[in-house]
Amino acid sequence: MTATTTGTTTTSRSATHVDLQTAADVLGVHYQTAYRWVRSGRLASERVDGKYVVDRSDLAELDRTRKAPDRPPPPSGRRLDRAADRLAELLVEGDEPAARRLVRRLVDEGTTMPDLIQQVLVPPLRNIGERWHRGDLSIWVEHRSSAIVERILGDVVPNPRGRRRGTAVVGAISGDLHSLPTTMAAVALRADQWHVHHLGADVPPDQLLDCCVENDADVAVISVTNPALATGAERAADALLAAGVPTLIGGPGRSVDDLVGDAREAAHGSARRRD
């Protein structure tokens, strides 16, 4: 599952792949711009001998897309901020149909999954959680809000065309009952062309391992929302690593952009990554 590249493999790829600097030259952008596109998922890539390489067909597709007639730009950051404020109101009110319409409109207008999650969905949930901690809202309001967001994500989960980047397994170990972070991770990875097995919350570590082995996972993502379970997550990651499955341990404060980039790198490395 980790990437082991030989000289023969590299030679066979030379006709169909180019290095990232060549890709940047073809696209007419700086190397760092091409690198950001790789990290964000805009430009598909692989790691060979520690370097990014790009399939010529993916490069040509992105070049065609960039040269195509301009489409209306996706919603601006300011508009996404306003949408987040409105979504917070709708979640507190429990108005799920209106919340669904708001999110669906943003997706239809071109909002990416990482931007939707980070800029529109997470801020209202964080605000609602803080208001609950202050005693301004009841715990059932916070739970209802999280449940609404999880159902909305289920409605907008992407199914992009094209070849898959690899197989990912996402879950939280036994005792961690929060499934929403795993849903966000699964949606972000699916948008980045991963085939995802989403196991949700409260998964026994041995079953997480079994799923990864049976499905030949390229990377596992363990969500941790309860610090008391950090040691258990580490043990689960050790078992996964011993079975050859690169593993990310996620926690509060990490963005889905980080997850997407780290998943790509972890799938082609042998060391566990802690996020």
Coordinates of all heavy atoms in Angstrom, one line a residue, residues 4-65:
T4 N 6.3 2.0 -3.4 CA 7.7 1.6 -3.6 C 8.0 1.7 -5.1 O 7.4 1.1 -5.9 CB 7.9 0.2 -3.1 OG1 7.5 0.1 -1.7 CG2 9.3 -0.2 -3.3
T5 N 9.0 2.6 -5.4 CA 9.2 2.9 -6.8 C 10.6 2.4 -7.2 O 11.6 2.7 -6.5 CB 9.1 4.4 -7.0 OG1 7.9 4.8 -6.5 CG2 9.2 4.7 -8.5
T6 N 10.7 1.7 -8.3 CA 11.9 1.2 -8.8 C 12.3 2.0 -10.0 O 11.5 2.7 -10.6 CB 11.9 -0.3 -9.1 OG1 10.9 -0.5 -10.2 CG2 11.4 -1.1 -8.0
G7 N 13.5 1.8 -10.5 CA 13.9 2.5 -11.7 C 13.0 2.0 -12.9 O 12.7 2.9 -13.8
T8 N 12.6 0.8 -12.9 CA 11.8 0.3 -14.0 C 10.4 1.0 -14.0 O 9.9 1.5 -15.0 CB 11.5 -1.2 -13.9 OG1 12.8 -1.8 -14.0 CG2 10.7 -1.7 -15.0
T9 N 9.9 1.2 -12.8 CA 8.6 1.9 -12.7 C 8.7 3.3 -13.2 O 7.9 3.8 -13.9 CB 8.1 1.9 -11.2 OG1 8.0 0.5 -10.8 CG2 6.7 2.5 -11.1
T10 N 9.8 4.0 -12.7 CA 9.9 5.4 -13.1 C 10.1 5.5 -14.6 O 9.5 6.4 -15.3 CB 11.2 6.0 -12.5 OG1 11.1 5.8 -11.0 CG2 11.4 7.4 -12.8
T11 N 10.8 4.6 -15.3 CA 11.0 4.6 -16.7 C 9.7 4.4 -17.4 O 9.4 5.1 -18.4 CB 12.0 3.6 -17.1 OG1 13.3 3.8 -16.5 CG2 12.2 3.6 -18.6
S12 N 8.9 3.5 -16.9 CA 7.6 3.2 -17.6 C 6.6 4.4 -17.5 O 5.8 4.5 -18.4 CB 7.0 1.9 -17.0 OG 6.6 2.2 -15.7
R13 N 6.8 5.2 -16.5 CA 5.9 6.3 -16.3 C 6.4 7.5 -17.2 O 5.6 8.5 -17.4 CB 5.9 6.7 -14.8 CG 5.2 5.8 -13.9 CD 5.2 6.3 -12.5 NE 4.5 5.4 -11.6 CZ 3.2 5.5 -11.3 NH1 2.5 6.4 -11.9 NH2 2.7 4.6 -10.5
S14 N 7.6 7.5 -17.6 CA 8.1 8.7 -18.2 C 7.3 9.2 -19.5 O 7.3 10.3 -19.8 CB 9.6 8.5 -18.6 OG 9.7 7.5 -19.5
A15 N 6.7 8.2 -20.2 CA 6.0 8.5 -21.4 C 4.6 9.1 -21.0 O 4.1 9.8 -21.9 CB 5.8 7.3 -22.2
T16 N 4.1 8.9 -19.9 CA 2.8 9.3 -19.5 C 2.7 10.3 -18.4 O 1.7 10.9 -18.2 CB 1.9 8.1 -19.1 OG1 2.5 7.5 -18.0 CG2 1.7 7.1 -20.2
H17 N 3.9 10.6 -17.8 CA 3.9 11.5 -16.6 C 5.0 12.6 -16.8 O 6.0 12.3 -17.5 CB 4.1 10.8 -15.3 CG 3.0 9.9 -14.9 ND1 2.6 8.8 -15.6 CD2 2.1 10.1 -13.9 CE1 1.6 8.2 -15.0 NE2 1.2 9.0 -13.9
V18 N 4.8 13.7 -16.2 CA 5.8 14.8 -16.2 C 6.0 15.2 -14.7 O 5.1 15.0 -13.9 CB 5.4 16.0 -17.1 CG1 5.3 15.6 -18.5 CG2 4.1 16.6 -16.5
D19 N 7.2 15.8 -14.5 CA 7.4 16.3 -13.1 C 6.6 17.6 -12.9 O 6.1 18.2 -13.8 CB 8.9 16.5 -12.8 CG 9.5 17.5 -13.7 OD1 8.9 18.4 -14.2 OD2 10.8 17.3 -14.0
L20 N 6.5 18.0 -11.6 CA 5.7 19.2 -11.3 C 6.2 20.5 -11.9 O 5.4 21.3 -12.3 CB 5.6 19.3 -9.8 CG 4.5 20.3 -9.3 CD1 3.1 19.9 -9.8 CD2 4.5 20.3 -7.7
Q21 N 7.5 20.6 -12.1 CA 8.0 21.8 -12.7 C 7.6 21.9 -14.2 O 7.2 22.9 -14.7 CB 9.6 21.9 -12.6 CG 10.2 23.1 -13.2 CD 9.7 24.4 -12.5 OE1 9.9 24.6 -11.4 NE2 9.0 25.3 -13.3
T22 N 7.7 20.8 -14.9 CA 7.2 20.7 -16.3 C 5.7 21.0 -16.4 O 5.3 21.8 -17.3 CB 7.5 19.3 -16.9 OG1 8.9 19.1 -16.8 CG2 7.1 19.3 -18.3
A23 N 5.0 20.5 -15.4 CA 3.5 20.7 -15.4 C 3.3 22.2 -15.2 O 2.4 22.8 -15.9 CB 2.9 19.9 -14.3
A24 N 4.0 22.9 -14.3 CA 3.9 24.3 -14.1 C 4.2 25.1 -15.4 O 3.5 26.0 -15.7 CB 4.7 24.7 -12.9
D25 N 5.2 24.7 -16.1 CA 5.6 25.3 -17.3 C 4.5 25.2 -18.4 O 4.2 26.2 -19.1 CB 6.9 24.8 -17.9 CG 8.1 25.1 -16.9 OD1 8.0 26.0 -16.1 OD2 9.1 24.3 -17.1
V26 N 3.9 24.0 -18.5 CA 2.9 23.8 -19.5 C 1.7 24.7 -19.2 O 1.0 25.3 -20.0 CB 2.4 22.3 -19.5 CG1 1.2 22.1 -20.3 CG2 3.6 21.5 -20.1
L27 N 1.4 24.8 -17.9 CA 0.2 25.6 -17.4 C 0.5 27.1 -17.4 O -0.4 27.9 -17.3 CB -0.3 25.1 -16.1 CG -0.8 23.7 -16.0 CD1 -1.0 23.3 -14.5 CD2 -2.1 23.6 -16.8
G28 N 1.8 27.5 -17.5 CA 2.1 28.9 -17.5 C 2.0 29.5 -16.1 O 1.7 30.7 -16.0
V29 N 2.3 28.7 -15.1 CA 2.2 29.2 -13.7 C 3.5 28.9 -13.0 O 4.4 28.1 -13.4 CB 1.0 28.6 -12.9 CG1 -0.3 28.9 -13.6 CG2 1.2 27.1 -12.8
H30 N 3.7 29.6 -11.8 CA 4.9 29.3 -11.0 C 4.8 27.9 -10.4 O 3.7 27.4 -10.2 CB 5.0 30.4 -9.9 CG 6.3 30.4 -9.2 ND1 6.5 29.6 -8.1 CD2 7.4 31.2 -9.3 CE1 7.7 29.8 -7.6 NE2 8.3 30.8 -8.4
Y31 N 6.0 27.4 -10.1 CA 6.0 26.1 -9.4 C 5.1 26.0 -8.2 O 4.4 25.0 -7.9 CB 7.4 25.7 -9.1 CG 7.6 24.4 -8.4 CD1 7.7 23.2 -9.1 CD2 7.6 24.3 -7.0 CE1 7.8 21.9 -8.4 CE2 7.7 23.1 -6.3 CZ 7.8 21.9 -7.0 OH 7.9 20.7 -6.3
Q32 N 5.2 27.1 -7.3 CA 4.5 27.1 -6.1 C 3.0 27.1 -6.3 O 2.2 26.5 -5.5 CB 4.9 28.3 -5.2 CG 6.3 28.1 -4.6 CD 6.4 26.9 -3.7 OE1 5.5 26.6 -3.0 NE2 7.6 26.3 -3.7
T33 N 2.6 27.7 -7.4 CA 1.1 27.7 -7.8 C 0.7 26.3 -8.1 O -0.4 25.8 -7.6 CB 0.8 28.6 -8.9 OG1 1.2 29.9 -8.6 CG2 -0.6 28.6 -9.3
A34 N 1.5 25.6 -8.9 CA 1.2 24.2 -9.3 C 1.2 23.3 -8.0 O 0.3 22.4 -7.9 CB 2.2 23.7 -10.3
Y35 N 2.1 23.6 -7.1 CA 2.2 22.8 -5.9 C 0.9 23.0 -5.0 O 0.3 22.1 -4.5 CB 3.4 23.2 -5.0 CG 3.5 22.5 -3.7 CD1 3.8 21.2 -3.6 CD2 3.3 23.2 -2.5 CE1 3.9 20.5 -2.4 CE2 3.3 22.6 -1.3 CZ 3.7 21.3 -1.2 OH 3.7 20.7 0.0
R36 N 0.4 24.3 -4.9 CA -0.8 24.5 -4.2 C -2.0 23.8 -4.8 O -2.9 23.3 -4.1 CB -1.1 26.0 -4.1 CG -0.2 26.8 -3.2 CD -0.7 28.1 -2.8 NE -0.8 29.0 -4.0 CZ 0.1 29.8 -4.5 NH1 1.3 29.8 -3.9 NH2 -0.1 30.5 -5.6
W37 N -2.0 23.8 -6.2 CA -3.1 23.1 -6.8 C -3.0 21.6 -6.6 O -4.1 20.9 -6.4 CB -3.0 23.3 -8.3 CG -3.4 24.7 -8.7 CD1 -3.9 25.7 -7.9 CD2 -3.2 25.3 -10.0 NE1 -4.1 26.8 -8.6 CE2 -3.7 26.7 -9.9 CE3 -2.7 24.9 -11.2 CZ2 -3.7 27.5 -11.0 CZ3 -2.7 25.8 -12.3 CH2 -3.2 27.1 -12.2
V38 N -1.8 21.0 -6.4 CA -1.7 19.6 -6.1 C -2.2 19.4 -4.7 O -3.0 18.4 -4.4 CB -0.2 19.2 -6.2 CG1 0.0 17.8 -5.4 CG2 0.2 19.0 -7.6
R39 N -1.9 20.2 -3.7 CA -2.3 20.1 -2.3 C -3.8 20.2 -2.2 O -4.4 19.6 -1.4 CB -1.6 21.1 -1.5 CG -0.1 20.9 -1.3 CD 0.2 19.8 -0.3 NE -0.2 20.2 1.1 CZ -0.1 19.4 2.1 NH1 0.5 18.2 2.0 NH2 -0.4 19.8 3.3
S40 N -4.4 21.1 -3.0 CA -5.8 21.4 -2.9 C -6.7 20.4 -3.7 O -7.9 20.3 -3.5 CB -6.2 22.8 -3.3 OG -6.0 22.9 -4.7
G41 N -6.0 19.6 -4.5 CA -6.8 18.6 -5.3 C -7.1 19.1 -6.7 O -7.7 18.3 -7.5
R42 N -6.8 20.3 -7.0 CA -7.2 20.8 -8.4 C -6.4 20.1 -9.4 O -6.9 19.9 -10.5 CB -6.9 22.3 -8.4 CG -7.4 23.0 -9.7 CD -7.2 24.5 -9.7 NE -7.7 25.1 -11.0 CZ -7.6 26.3 -11.3 NH1 -7.0 27.2 -10.4 NH2 -8.0 26.8 -12.4
L43 N -5.1 19.8 -9.1 CA -4.3 19.0 -10.1 C -3.9 17.7 -9.5 O -3.2 17.6 -8.5 CB -3.0 19.9 -10.4 CG -2.0 19.2 -11.3 CD1 -2.6 19.0 -12.7 CD2 -0.7 20.1 -11.4
A44 N -4.4 16.6 -10.1 CA -4.1 15.3 -9.6 C -2.6 14.9 -9.8 O -2.0 15.4 -10.8 CB -4.9 14.2 -10.4
S45 N -2.1 14.2 -8.9 CA -0.6 13.9 -8.9 C -0.4 12.6 -8.2 O -1.2 12.1 -7.5 CB 0.2 15.0 -8.3 OG 0.0 15.1 -6.9
E46 N 0.9 12.1 -8.3 CA 1.3 10.9 -7.5 C 2.7 11.3 -7.0 O 3.4 12.2 -7.5 CB 1.4 9.7 -8.4 CG 0.1 9.3 -9.0 CD 0.2 8.1 -9.9 OE1 0.9 7.1 -9.5 OE2 -0.3 8.1 -11.0
R47 N 3.2 10.5 -6.0 CA 4.6 10.7 -5.5 C 5.4 9.5 -6.1 O 5.1 8.3 -5.9 CB 4.6 10.7 -4.0 CG 4.0 11.9 -3.4 CD 5.0 13.1 -3.6 NE 6.2 13.0 -2.7 CZ 6.2 13.5 -1.5 NH1 5.2 14.1 -1.0 NH2 7.4 13.3 -0.8
V48 N 6.5 9.8 -6.8 CA 7.4 8.8 -7.3 C 8.8 9.3 -6.9 O 9.3 10.4 -7.2 CB 7.3 8.7 -8.8 CG1 8.4 7.7 -9.3 CG2 5.9 8.2 -9.2
D49 N 9.5 8.4 -6.2 CA 10.9 8.7 -5.7 C 10.9 10.0 -4.9 O 11.8 10.8 -5.1 CB 11.9 8.8 -6.9 CG 12.1 7.4 -7.5 OD1 11.9 6.4 -6.8 OD2 12.5 7.3 -8.7
G50 N 9.8 10.2 -4.2 CA 9.8 11.4 -3.3 C 9.4 12.7 -4.0 O 9.4 13.8 -3.4
K51 N 9.1 12.6 -5.3 CA 8.7 13.8 -6.1 C 7.3 13.7 -6.7 O 6.9 12.6 -7.0 CB 9.7 14.1 -7.2 CG 11.1 14.4 -6.7 CD 12.1 14.6 -7.8 CE 13.5 14.9 -7.3 NZ 14.4 15.2 -8.4
Y52 N 6.6 14.8 -6.8 CA 5.3 14.8 -7.5 C 5.5 14.6 -9.0 O 6.3 15.2 -9.6 CB 4.5 16.1 -7.2 CG 4.0 16.2 -5.8 CD1 4.6 17.1 -4.9 CD2 2.9 15.4 -5.4 CE1 4.1 17.2 -3.6 CE2 2.5 15.5 -4.1 CZ 3.1 16.4 -3.2 OH 2.6 16.5 -1.9
V53 N 4.6 13.7 -9.6 CA 4.5 13.6 -11.0 C 3.1 13.7 -11.4 O 2.2 13.4 -10.6 CB 5.1 12.3 -11.5 CG1 6.6 12.2 -11.2 CG2 4.4 11.1 -10.9
V54 N 2.8 14.2 -12.6 CA 1.5 14.5 -13.0 C 1.2 13.7 -14.3 O 2.1 13.8 -15.3 CB 1.3 16.0 -13.3 CG1 -0.1 16.3 -13.8 CG2 1.6 16.8 -12.0
D55 N 0.1 13.1 -14.4 CA -0.3 12.4 -15.6 C -0.6 13.4 -16.7 O -1.2 14.4 -16.5 CB -1.5 11.5 -15.3 CG -1.9 10.6 -16.5 OD1 -2.3 11.1 -17.6 OD2 -1.7 9.4 -16.4
R56 N -0.1 13.1 -17.9 CA -0.2 14.1 -19.0 C -1.7 14.3 -19.3 O -2.1 15.4 -19.7 CB 0.5 13.6 -20.3 CG 2.0 13.6 -20.1 CD 2.7 13.1 -21.4 NE 4.1 13.0 -21.3 CZ 5.0 14.0 -21.5 NH1 4.5 15.2 -21.9 NH2 6.3 13.8 -21.3
S57 N -2.5 13.3 -19.2 CA -3.9 13.5 -19.5 C -4.6 14.4 -18.5 O -5.4 15.2 -18.8 CB -4.7 12.1 -19.5 OG -4.6 11.5 -18.3
D58 N -4.2 14.3 -17.2 CA -4.8 15.2 -16.2 C -4.3 16.6 -16.4 O -5.0 17.6 -16.2 CB -4.3 14.7 -14.8 CG -5.0 13.4 -14.3 OD1 -6.2 13.2 -14.7 OD2 -4.4 12.6 -13.6
L59 N -3.0 16.7 -16.8 CA -2.5 18.0 -17.1 C -3.2 18.7 -18.3 O -3.6 19.9 -18.2 CB -1.0 17.9 -17.4 CG -0.2 19.2 -17.8 CD1 -0.3 20.2 -16.6 CD2 1.2 18.8 -18.1
A60 N -3.5 17.9 -19.3 CA -4.2 18.4 -20.5 C -5.6 18.9 -20.1 O -6.1 19.9 -20.6 CB -4.2 17.4 -21.6
E61 N -6.2 18.1 -19.3 CA -7.6 18.4 -18.9 C -7.7 19.7 -18.1 O -8.5 20.6 -18.4 CB -8.2 17.3 -18.0 CG -9.6 17.5 -17.5 CD -10.6 17.7 -18.6 OE1 -10.4 17.1 -19.7 OE2 -11.6 18.4 -18.4
L62 N -6.7 19.9 -17.2 CA -6.7 21.2 -16.4 C -6.4 22.3 -17.3 O -7.0 23.4 -17.2 CB -5.7 21.1 -15.3 CG -5.5 22.4 -14.4 CD1 -6.8 22.8 -13.8 CD2 -4.5 22.1 -13.4
D63 N -5.5 22.1 -18.3 CA -5.1 23.2 -19.2 C -6.3 23.6 -20.1 O -6.6 24.8 -20.3 CB -4.0 22.7 -20.1 CG -3.3 23.9 -20.9 OD1 -3.2 25.0 -20.3 OD2 -2.9 23.6 -22.0
R64 N -7.1 22.6 -20.5 CA -8.3 22.9 -21.3 C -9.3 23.6 -20.4 O -10.0 24.6 -20.9 CB -8.9 21.6 -21.8 CG -8.2 21.0 -23.0 CD -9.1 19.9 -23.6 NE -9.3 18.8 -22.7 CZ -8.5 17.7 -22.6 NH1 -7.4 17.7 -23.4 NH2 -8.8 16.7 -21.8
T65 N -9.5 23.2 -19.2 CA -10.4 23.9 -18.3 C -10.1 25.3 -18.1 O -10.9 26.2 -18.1 CB -10.5 23.1 -17.0 OG1 -10.9 21.8 -17.2 CG2 -11.5 23.8 -16.0

